[in-house]
Amino acid sequence: MDVKIAGRTLELVEGDITEMDTDAIVNAANARLVLGGGVAGAIRKKGGPQIQQECDRIGGTFVGGAVLTTGGRLKARHVIHAVGPQMGEGNEDEKLRNATRNSLKVADEHGLKSLAFPAISTGIFGFPLHRCAEIMLTTTVEYLRGDTGLERIVFCLFGRDSFDVFARQLRPIPLSQ
Ligand code: AR6
């Protein structure tokens, strides 16, 4: 499913984010930048040890922050590690909005044209999927209407249910100003 925003593409696909060939894929990270399970575990397995080594050199970032490493052996040349909120820690919506916006900013700062997001915080961190879809999609649509070099943003959703929730949340969002 594709939509256009100010000539740029926002796309929803169902699949494994580690297979995406976008300039960067986004990792659903934690603040210590230790690659655990879920998306991070898949990135660690397929991308090789170099990504964790780069994360260790960076050392960590704040909840809502995003940092860039190379993609190791992944098809994507870069990984942007975005730290989403853990459900129950407080101010979760704002933190997820910041993690999304900061990922897009980091991609722009490095001149990237395409980026793939997972549904940040909706696995091990326990954030509700429909709320994640609403926040990540509205933040991305708003960002794509502004001054950006990004041309293509993909939401790579794991399983049909996740895809359907994102598709339902995207429909009512106004795409033109
Ligand atoms: N491709 C796309 N989406 C995936 C994949 C995949 N290969 N694998 C899982 N998902 P999670 P979080 C979906 O748990 O909740 C780690 O230990 C999954 O179904 O990866 O932000 C980190 O190191 C869910 O909808 O991230 C952190 O400590 C979504 O991706 C912590 O987990 C996010 O699930 C982060 O937890």
Side-chain angles (χ1 to χ4, degrees):
M1 178 179 180
D2 289 17
V3 295
K4 290 279 183 198
I5 297 129
R8 297 150 186 150
T9 305
L10 190 160
E11 204 176 317
L12 305 185
V13 301
E14 183 190 337
D16 177 351
I17 199 163
T18 61
E19 291 298 320
M20 296 295 304
D21 63 359
T22 41
D23 291 341
I25 63 171
V26 174
N27 176 28
N30 55 50
R32 292 177 299 127
L33 301 178
V34 174
L35 301 169
V39 173
I43 288 175
R44 182 166 38 80
K45 278 196 202 93
K46 209 170 282 182
Q50 188 189 338
I51 301 171
Q52 182 65 67
Q53 286 160 11
E54 286 182 52
C55 283
D56 292 346
R57 280 199 289 277
I58 297 166
T61 188
F62 58 96
V63 181
V67 300
L68 179 130
T69 66
T70 59
R73 293 198 288 264
L74 294 170
K75 289 180 191 164
R77 277 185 301 115
H78 304 277
V79 176
I80 294 175
H81 303 265
V83 184
Q86 216 163 335
M87 204 52 197
E89 69 180 27
N91 210 11
E92 295 93 351
D93 290 7
E94 188 58 28
K95 289 171 177 170
L96 184 58
R97 207 167 287 124
N98 291 342
T100 308
R101 199 180 295 121
N102 283 325
S103 299
L104 294 161
K105 276 191 190 161
V106 166
D108 255 335
E109 282 161 14
H110 290 82
L112 309 186
K113 300 289 177 212
S114 59
L115 183 66
F117 276 115
I120 295 173
S121 288
T122 63
I124 292 160
F125 280 178
F127 194 83
L129 196 59
H130 69 278
R131 227 161 99 192
C132 167
E134 204 258 325
I135 291 167
M136 291 194 74
L137 288 170
T138 51
T139 304
T140 300
V141 167
E142 191 185 303
Y143 192 89
L144 289 179
R145 281 198 198 117
D147 183 19
T148 172
L150 282 161
E151 293 168 359
R152 178 179 171 231
I153 305 298
V154 183
F155 282 84
C156 181
L157 291 325
F158 211 45
R160 190 73 209 176
D161 289 353
S162 281
F163 178 90
D164 287 345
V165 169
F166 270 70
R168 258 201 310 279
Q169 291 290 334
L170 181 58
R171 254 170 238 130
I173 297 175
L175 300 176
S176 53
Q177 268 173 318

